[in-house]
Amino acid sequence: MVLTGGKPTPTGHATGGTGPARSRERFLQGEPVEAGVRTSILSSWQRSRSLGLSPDQADLPFRDDFDRDARIVRAAVPVLDRLQARFAGSRMNISVADASGTVLLRRFGEASLARSLPAFQRVPGFVFAERVAGTNGIGLALAERQLIRVHGAEHFAERSQRSACRALPVRDPLSGRIEGVLCFGYPSSTEDPELAITIREAAQAIERRLLRQSSARERALLRAYLDTGAATSAGLHHTVGVDELALELHPRDRAVLTEKAAELISRGQRAAAVVSLFDGRRVTLVSRPMRSGSGVEGVAIEAVLPGPAPREPLAVPTQVDVPPGSSGRLAVVTAVPPPRFVPAAAAPGRLPVATLSRHLPDVAHGPFGTVGRVDVADDHPDAPSRTRGLVMVGEPRVGTYALAARRRLELLSEASARIGTTLDVRRTAQELAETAVPRLADFVTIDLPEAVLRGEESADPRTDLHRTVVHGISDDLPFSPVGKQVDFGPTTPQIRCLTSGQAVLEPDLKAAAGWLAQDPEHTERLLTEVHSLIAVPLVARGVILGIASFYRAQDPAPFGDDDRSLGLELASRAALSIDNARRYTRERTMVLTLQRSLLPHDLPDQDAVEIAHRYLPAESDVGGDWYDVIPLSGTRIGLFVGDVVGHGMLSAATMGQLRTAARSFAELDFPPDEVLTHLDNLVGRLDREEPAAGAGVIGATCLYAVYDPTSQQCTMARAGHPPPALVRPDGTVSFPDLPAGPPLGLGGLPFESAEIHLPEGSRLLLYTDGLIEDRHRDVDVVLDQLRGALAHPEQTPEQTCQTVLETVAPAHPCDDIALLVARTHALDPRRIAAWDLPADPARVSEVRAAALRQLADWGLDETAFAAELMLSELVTNAIRHGAGPIRVRLLHGRTLICEVSDASNTAPHLRRAASTDEGGRGLFLVAQLAQSWGTRYLPEGKVIWAECGLDAA
């Protein structure tokens, strides 16, 4: 029995049984595997099968050309000896393999255990890589690059069914590169959870010994530098200028010098670089390749300063002894700078000599974090005097690791500023790709579910992925194009990373069977360019957002674990930004849907004006801008434009309430100033009734205009809203000076209206402040641009809307824009008939007869009967209940409108007359004959009107 998650799991051969044994049997038979198998094991089985491995395979490859004196061997031998003593008498076998899976060392707790193994497994050299041995500890640890436990039937091969193992990669502490694998093998019946602690401690001990090997090599380089007498052959003048300079260096200058020195070490060749300091001075760094007596090759970096040599030293150097065998002398300034000046924080691998000097008690460090400075007299009196000081020594590979570590930190710092600058899902994904290329990868593809692009969560991201970003150093690679749905197979690194939630590294794509099987034709073309892959899941707040795939092409070195960690960190930061953008997109979509649903969908048919409109939501958030067109009595038209303060759901909902109320007040035929007064009261009431709905007072602005095509007069009033733009038929553009009322919701202040004559063919432009107000532009300049865009009298309202948005609206609006353009028409005077008469009942018949003649002239004989009845009733009521003078008007437009006005403010009321009542049925009769009827109040008196269709009988 093996304990798995606290439950006993039977082990044994893959024949019968339950748990992993039964799952393996079903897997080998091609049946679906139940959920009891760990993801890493199932993925390894799938890879083993795709590689064509057989579970009955008994032989393993054997190599006799492996390095028997490798670094991992020298570091691991003492540790394995101690482990052998610890497990003496047990059936434990301990192995160390290199990074390719070749076993280099073996130890047995019981000597007889070796005799039970096949002959080729008793000695080092056999290969246990997953690609040749299937699922096993060493192979899976290299594939998963983490601590692995494999027991019983979880092994792919039959030969390992009764054993268990734990394996852990061993890394170089400086580079992070996997140097090998430490593996414990034992019978599955002896499973012990404490083995996980033991193997970690043993791996750490091996890694510490690897680090000490590096330190010993660097100490050898330091001694080699001192033994060469480098300064004696350089011919430099004796001075202490380097030390004085170090005491004055700005911390940023010291960091720049240290970084540049590490870069020169990483090149591994003789070179020089000029570094400009913060105060304008310049320091030349010179790299000197060298080799120690033990064969260690490295580079020493010296700082060279030009300048006059003082006649006497500015500080007295102290002579100290160098290590035995050294031929030079070491000069160290007694005035050592404070510890913060020493580059002790340099990343491992930069190896400032200040660090190495701790291992050399007879050597002190100087101001640059150096061992010292060698000064000698110049052999050429005419040569310019210079100062030279040792900065650091190191091996090129270590310098490369140190430089790469700094580059990774810089990239992460840059990513914080570059990724997530907008709340757009696609743009955020593009920013991740642009940040990673070319500093981490040569090509990046990002695949997101269609649901995420819409702001939602995907039910199954594995089946809904769409190529969202393709970015790289060139555009000629055959990646799937943006917008195409991508389907990854179950063994591909992309799906494996989604399943495990971890980054998947494929150092060699030519050996990645699952990736190759995905699309053979496609991948064959890609392999001519790319050679290494990191697939990283984009996960934030527990939501799977997609996959980022990093490809390497030009850099011959494959991706390593440091690259995988860096890719995972970049993807994690980007995923959080993408999730923020997704949530914002979802909310913005909801608000925008609500906003658009509350705006008018279809404008009414009417003849007073020709209308065009636009609504452009802000990029960052949706506000409460709105517009409306309302037919009024007497062929008039009402035009609204408004803006609710703020953004989001509350503003959109408030806008809907405000627009509904505005339409209701307008249809009651209130004049513009009274409509604004009612809206002002409504906004104030909303603010009092819903104080918790949002922070601060609900505010809004509004402009209301009523145009009468019979008189070509337009009455307008505004509440804190920008004035309209008026374009006359000759192209003259003006901004009428309307009384500027307060914004809605302040209360207590009256609104005023103004009346303007609009000749036929004039254009009236109503807009919200998002069109002209922008913190990056001056309002006066924008108004001049608007004036120029409107100065084209030949344009239609649709063309005017388009021109204004293209030339005046900001490229990235931070506020909504509502735009309404109305070109005025005039009602033909021949379609208007009017009569004035005194309040005399005897004159009713005359008006009735004149109206019938006019209807006959208009060709409305079929409408004459209904019109005659309505007109007779309205005139009689005006004479009986109103006051003179009385005016009758007929308007022939889309419908026939009968109007009767008088000087009284008495309002008529429709009522149901009782059977015994002698009167009270007149308005009821009018209501039955007319399509609509109502009352419109004038400054003095009222107008009662009735409208009937032209086909009325």
mmCIF file of all heavy atoms in Angstrom, residues 733 735 772 778-791 807-808:
data_model
loop_
_atom_site.group_PDB
_atom_site.id
_atom_site.type_symbol
_atom_site.label_atom_id
_atom_site.label_comp_id
_atom_site.label_asym_id
_atom_site.label_seq_id
_atom_site.Cartn_x
_atom_site.Cartn_y
_atom_site.Cartn_z
ATOM 1 N N VAL A 733 -21.600 80.385 -39.614
ATOM 2 C CA VAL A 733 -21.687 79.591 -38.380
ATOM 3 C C VAL A 733 -21.661 80.523 -37.182
ATOM 4 O O VAL A 733 -20.809 81.427 -37.094
ATOM 5 C CB VAL A 733 -20.531 78.579 -38.290
ATOM 6 C CG1 VAL A 733 -20.655 77.731 -37.022
ATOM 7 C CG2 VAL A 733 -20.506 77.681 -39.512
ATOM 8 N N PHE A 735 -22.766 80.738 -32.687
ATOM 9 C CA PHE A 735 -23.152 80.044 -31.461
ATOM 10 C C PHE A 735 -24.103 80.979 -30.715
ATOM 11 O O PHE A 735 -23.650 81.943 -30.072
ATOM 12 C CB PHE A 735 -21.935 79.707 -30.607
ATOM 13 C CG PHE A 735 -20.976 78.755 -31.276
ATOM 14 C CD1 PHE A 735 -19.908 79.238 -32.012
ATOM 15 C CD2 PHE A 735 -21.159 77.391 -31.189
ATOM 16 C CE1 PHE A 735 -19.024 78.374 -32.638
ATOM 17 C CE2 PHE A 735 -20.285 76.512 -31.811
ATOM 18 C CZ PHE A 735 -19.222 77.005 -32.540
ATOM 19 N N ILE A 772 -16.218 69.019 -27.173
ATOM 20 C CA ILE A 772 -15.333 70.194 -27.196
ATOM 21 C C ILE A 772 -14.414 70.295 -25.995
ATOM 22 O O ILE A 772 -13.389 70.968 -26.063
ATOM 23 C CB ILE A 772 -16.169 71.487 -27.305
ATOM 24 C CG1 ILE A 772 -17.090 71.630 -26.087
ATOM 25 C CG2 ILE A 772 -16.961 71.506 -28.597
ATOM 26 C CD1 ILE A 772 -17.817 72.950 -26.016
ATOM 27 N N ASP A 778 -7.478 73.316 -26.038
ATOM 28 C CA ASP A 778 -8.111 74.562 -25.623
ATOM 29 C C ASP A 778 -9.508 74.635 -26.233
ATOM 30 O O ASP A 778 -9.702 74.344 -27.415
ATOM 31 C CB ASP A 778 -7.261 75.751 -26.073
ATOM 32 C CG ASP A 778 -7.841 77.062 -25.570
ATOM 33 O OD1 ASP A 778 -7.588 77.407 -24.400
ATOM 34 O OD2 ASP A 778 -8.551 77.721 -26.352
ATOM 35 N N VAL A 779 -10.494 75.039 -25.420
ATOM 36 C CA VAL A 779 -11.879 75.059 -25.875
ATOM 37 C C VAL A 779 -12.058 76.019 -27.046
ATOM 38 O O VAL A 779 -12.769 75.718 -28.012
ATOM 39 C CB VAL A 779 -12.818 75.431 -24.705
ATOM 40 C CG1 VAL A 779 -14.249 75.605 -25.211
ATOM 41 C CG2 VAL A 779 -12.773 74.374 -23.623
ATOM 42 N N ASP A 780 -11.414 77.173 -26.988
ATOM 43 C CA ASP A 780 -11.554 78.138 -28.083
ATOM 44 C C ASP A 780 -11.016 77.578 -29.394
ATOM 45 O O ASP A 780 -11.603 77.786 -30.470
ATOM 46 C CB ASP A 780 -10.830 79.436 -27.731
ATOM 47 C CG ASP A 780 -11.480 80.157 -26.564
ATOM 48 O OD1 ASP A 780 -12.702 79.968 -26.377
ATOM 49 O OD2 ASP A 780 -10.782 80.880 -25.837
ATOM 50 N N VAL A 781 -9.919 76.844 -29.312
ATOM 51 C CA VAL A 781 -9.366 76.230 -30.520
ATOM 52 C C VAL A 781 -10.335 75.193 -31.072
ATOM 53 O O VAL A 781 -10.553 75.092 -32.290
ATOM 54 C CB VAL A 781 -7.990 75.597 -30.224
ATOM 55 C CG1 VAL A 781 -7.471 74.836 -31.442
ATOM 56 C CG2 VAL A 781 -6.986 76.673 -29.803
ATOM 57 N N VAL A 782 -10.933 74.405 -30.172
ATOM 58 C CA VAL A 782 -11.875 73.370 -30.613
ATOM 59 C C VAL A 782 -13.103 74.008 -31.256
ATOM 60 O O VAL A 782 -13.613 73.525 -32.278
ATOM 61 C CB VAL A 782 -12.279 72.473 -29.427
ATOM 62 C CG1 VAL A 782 -13.317 71.454 -29.865
ATOM 63 C CG2 VAL A 782 -11.068 71.774 -28.858
ATOM 64 N N LEU A 783 -13.588 75.104 -30.691
ATOM 65 C CA LEU A 783 -14.748 75.771 -31.275
ATOM 66 C C LEU A 783 -14.429 76.326 -32.658
ATOM 67 O O LEU A 783 -15.284 76.317 -33.560
ATOM 68 C CB LEU A 783 -15.226 76.897 -30.352
ATOM 69 C CG LEU A 783 -15.873 76.435 -29.039
ATOM 70 C CD1 LEU A 783 -16.248 77.627 -28.179
ATOM 71 C CD2 LEU A 783 -17.109 75.572 -29.311
ATOM 72 N N ASP A 784 -13.205 76.796 -32.849
ATOM 73 C CA ASP A 784 -12.797 77.233 -34.188
ATOM 74 C C ASP A 784 -12.778 76.056 -35.158
ATOM 75 O O ASP A 784 -13.182 76.185 -36.323
ATOM 76 C CB ASP A 784 -11.421 77.894 -34.127
ATOM 77 C CG ASP A 784 -11.457 79.260 -33.445
ATOM 78 O OD1 ASP A 784 -12.568 79.840 -33.387
ATOM 79 O OD2 ASP A 784 -10.404 79.724 -32.967
ATOM 80 N N GLN A 785 -12.304 74.895 -34.684
ATOM 81 C CA GLN A 785 -12.333 73.706 -35.526
ATOM 82 C C GLN A 785 -13.762 73.312 -35.866
ATOM 83 O O GLN A 785 -14.063 72.923 -37.002
ATOM 84 C CB GLN A 785 -11.627 72.540 -34.820
ATOM 85 C CG GLN A 785 -10.130 72.732 -34.631
ATOM 86 C CD GLN A 785 -9.512 71.589 -33.835
ATOM 87 O OE1 GLN A 785 -10.216 70.796 -33.217
ATOM 88 N NE2 GLN A 785 -8.187 71.519 -33.839
ATOM 89 N N LEU A 786 -14.657 73.432 -34.882
ATOM 90 C CA LEU A 786 -16.061 73.106 -35.118
ATOM 91 C C LEU A 786 -16.677 74.073 -36.127
ATOM 92 O O LEU A 786 -17.445 73.672 -37.015
ATOM 93 C CB LEU A 786 -16.827 73.144 -33.794
ATOM 94 C CG LEU A 786 -18.318 72.809 -33.855
ATOM 95 C CD1 LEU A 786 -18.539 71.421 -34.421
ATOM 96 C CD2 LEU A 786 -18.943 72.937 -32.466
ATOM 97 N N ARG A 787 -16.326 75.346 -36.003
ATOM 98 C CA ARG A 787 -16.835 76.336 -36.951
ATOM 99 C C ARG A 787 -16.385 76.006 -38.376
ATOM 100 O O ARG A 787 -17.162 76.094 -39.332
ATOM 101 C CB ARG A 787 -16.374 77.726 -36.534
ATOM 102 C CG ARG A 787 -16.944 78.841 -37.397
ATOM 103 C CD ARG A 787 -16.501 80.207 -36.911
ATOM 104 N NE ARG A 787 -17.240 80.607 -35.702
ATOM 105 C CZ ARG A 787 -16.725 80.620 -34.479
ATOM 106 N NH1 ARG A 787 -15.468 80.218 -34.286
ATOM 107 N NH2 ARG A 787 -17.439 81.011 -33.447
ATOM 108 N N GLY A 788 -15.131 75.594 -38.519
ATOM 109 C CA GLY A 788 -14.639 75.238 -39.843
ATOM 110 C C GLY A 788 -15.288 73.984 -40.390
ATOM 111 O O GLY A 788 -15.536 73.865 -41.599
ATOM 112 N N ALA A 789 -15.564 73.015 -39.510
ATOM 113 C CA ALA A 789 -16.184 71.772 -39.971
ATOM 114 C C ALA A 789 -17.627 71.984 -40.410
ATOM 115 O O ALA A 789 -18.137 71.259 -41.279
ATOM 116 C CB ALA A 789 -16.124 70.725 -38.867
ATOM 117 N N LEU A 790 -18.301 72.996 -39.839
ATOM 118 C CA LEU A 790 -19.710 73.218 -40.156
ATOM 119 C C LEU A 790 -19.911 74.155 -41.332
ATOM 120 O O LEU A 790 -21.034 74.248 -41.869
ATOM 121 C CB LEU A 790 -20.429 73.792 -38.927
ATOM 122 C CG LEU A 790 -20.524 72.868 -37.705
ATOM 123 C CD1 LEU A 790 -21.172 73.604 -36.542
ATOM 124 C CD2 LEU A 790 -21.312 71.616 -38.037
ATOM 125 N N ALA A 791 -18.870 74.853 -41.730
ATOM 126 C CA ALA A 791 -19.008 75.877 -42.778
ATOM 127 C C ALA A 791 -19.098 75.257 -44.166
ATOM 128 O O ALA A 791 -18.350 75.628 -45.084
ATOM 129 C CB ALA A 791 -17.844 76.864 -42.696
ATOM 130 N N THR A 807 -13.160 65.435 -37.507
ATOM 131 C CA THR A 807 -12.262 66.594 -37.426
ATOM 132 C C THR A 807 -12.250 67.280 -36.068
ATOM 133 O O THR A 807 -11.277 67.954 -35.739
ATOM 134 C CB THR A 807 -12.644 67.629 -38.494
ATOM 135 O OG1 THR A 807 -13.997 68.064 -38.268
ATOM 136 C CG2 THR A 807 -12.530 67.026 -39.881
ATOM 137 N N VAL A 808 -13.309 67.133 -35.296
ATOM 138 C CA VAL A 808 -13.408 67.872 -34.037
ATOM 139 C C VAL A 808 -13.321 66.951 -32.823
ATOM 140 O O VAL A 808 -12.644 67.268 -31.841
ATOM 141 C CB VAL A 808 -14.723 68.681 -33.985
ATOM 142 C CG1 VAL A 808 -14.810 69.477 -32.690
ATOM 143 C CG2 VAL A 808 -14.834 69.602 -35.184
#
